[in-house]
Amino acid sequence: MNAPVITVDGPSGSGKGTVSRLVAERLGWHWLDSGAMYRLVALAALRRDMDLDDVDALRGLAAGLDARFQADDAGDPVILLDGAPVGAELRTEQAGNAASRVAAHQSVRDALLERQRGFRQPPGLVADGRDMGTVVFTEAPLKVFLTASCEERARRRYKQLKEQGLSANLLALSEELAERDRRDAERSVAPLKPADDAVVLDSTHMGIESVLEEVLRLARERGLTD
Ligand code: DC
């Protein structure tokens, strides 16, 4: 019932997705990619040609979202929306920016809250997002807030998109990232900010491996793992 939770929050491109997934893998815990939920709502809305400011329609969409989180034979995540795998479309900047817009509505967040909490299953959960430590899992025994400079985050996103064979422009990415950060941090509901009891890690000059080791060290220090 009360499986332990490690929250990893932070801005886009801070490395929290990769780090939280690796931490979950190393501990053999479940992983919640909460950003994917907002991306799915956004994608479902775009596919239905809905207005991203139509709060009532979005709330209904989020509450009835037909999304499933599965893994393929290699253990890699497979996300189904309306019964079909979404793939790379979910990771585009268009989906990310639209997700940031729908995520600013309190009723959309409320509609997804219990679904997110449902991922808390034994032996434990690593939850990745913006408000995992401040709203969704406030009593988590380890909260990490992962950040990095805006330039470094834009550079990482650029590399990531290129690796996925998607087109990208560094300057445009950097501007979009700054705009998304501003919207996520300045919104009145569940704004992006470290929880009071979060450990803030700046990964600007750290590789993924060092961040991973530091989070695992903190987890050991708090008695969450041997
Ligand atoms: O982590 P991500 O880039 O996949 O998230 C996409 C957007 O979803 C992000 O810009 C803000 C929103 N989001 C949120 O508001 N709260 C979360 N817990 C996770 C994501």
Side-chain angles (χ1 to χ4, degrees):
M1 183 68 201
N2 264 336
V5 183
I6 297 175
T7 61
V8 184
D9 288 307
S12 332
S14 58
K16 67 189 163 50
T18 312
V19 167
S20 57
R21 197 175 145 197
L22 289 172
V23 171
E25 238 172 66
R26 286 276 288 268
L27 297 179
W29 288 13
H30 300 279
W31 177 51
L32 165 62
D33 172 7
S34 63
M37 284 198 191
Y38 290 99
R39 285 174 183 260
L40 286 166
V41 174
L43 215 57
L46 292 173
R47 284 182 183 173
R48 288 163 177 77
D49 246 341
M50 278 167 53
D51 177 352
L52 297 183
D53 291 315
D54 184 343
V55 181
D56 289 336
L58 288 171
R59 179 191 21 222
L61 187 66
L65 191 71
D66 176 9
R68 268 173 290 155
F69 293 76
Q70 301 176 342
D72 63 17
D73 292 343
D76 288 322
V78 177
I79 301 177
L80 305 181
L81 176 61
D82 297 321
V86 270
E89 196 187 355
L90 199 65
R91 302 294 158 195
T92 60
E93 291 309 288
Q94 189 203 15
N97 292 325
S100 164
R101 285 182 60 192
V102 303
H105 304 305
Q106 177 74 61
S107 58
V108 171
R109 307 195 72 84
D110 289 346
L112 296 178
L113 189 64
E114 285 315 312
R115 201 167 187 151
Q116 293 173 356
R117 290 191 174 145
F119 277 72
R120 183 179 193 171
Q121 300 280 342
L125 173 69
V126 184
D128 156 5
R130 302 290 187 293
D131 63 339
M132 297 294 102
T134 50
V135 176
V136 184
F137 301 107
T138 47
E139 70 306 353
L142 174 58
K143 299 177 183 177
V144 175
F145 190 87
L146 194 58
T147 184
S149 71
C150 193
E151 297 74 34
E152 176 61 16
R153 292 187 289 114
R155 210 185 52 74
R156 288 178 191 169
R157 283 298 287 155
Y158 179 80
K159 198 164 154 257
Q160 219 174 37
L161 290 169
K162 285 286 182 188
E163 278 167 6
Q164 291 166 3
L166 298 166
S167 69
N169 170 303
L170 189 57
L171 184 63
L173 258 181
S174 167
E175 283 167 0
E176 278 173 19
L177 208 69
E179 165 68 13
R180 181 128 71 99
D181 284 356
R182 193 196 50 69
R183 192 186 304 114
D184 293 345
E186 289 179 3
R187 68 184 177 213
S188 56
V189 289
L192 170 68
K193 62 163 194 229
D196 290 339
D197 51 349
V199 177
V200 179
L201 290 180
D202 184 340
S203 74
T204 308
H205 304 293
M206 281 170 96
I208 285 294
E209 272 303 315
S210 341
V211 180
L212 170 65
E213 289 309 326
E214 179 58 9
V215 177
L216 291 171
R217 193 192 64 73
L218 288 163
R220 274 194 302 275
E221 192 179 86
R222 296 189 185 197
L224 300 175
T225 177
D226 324 314

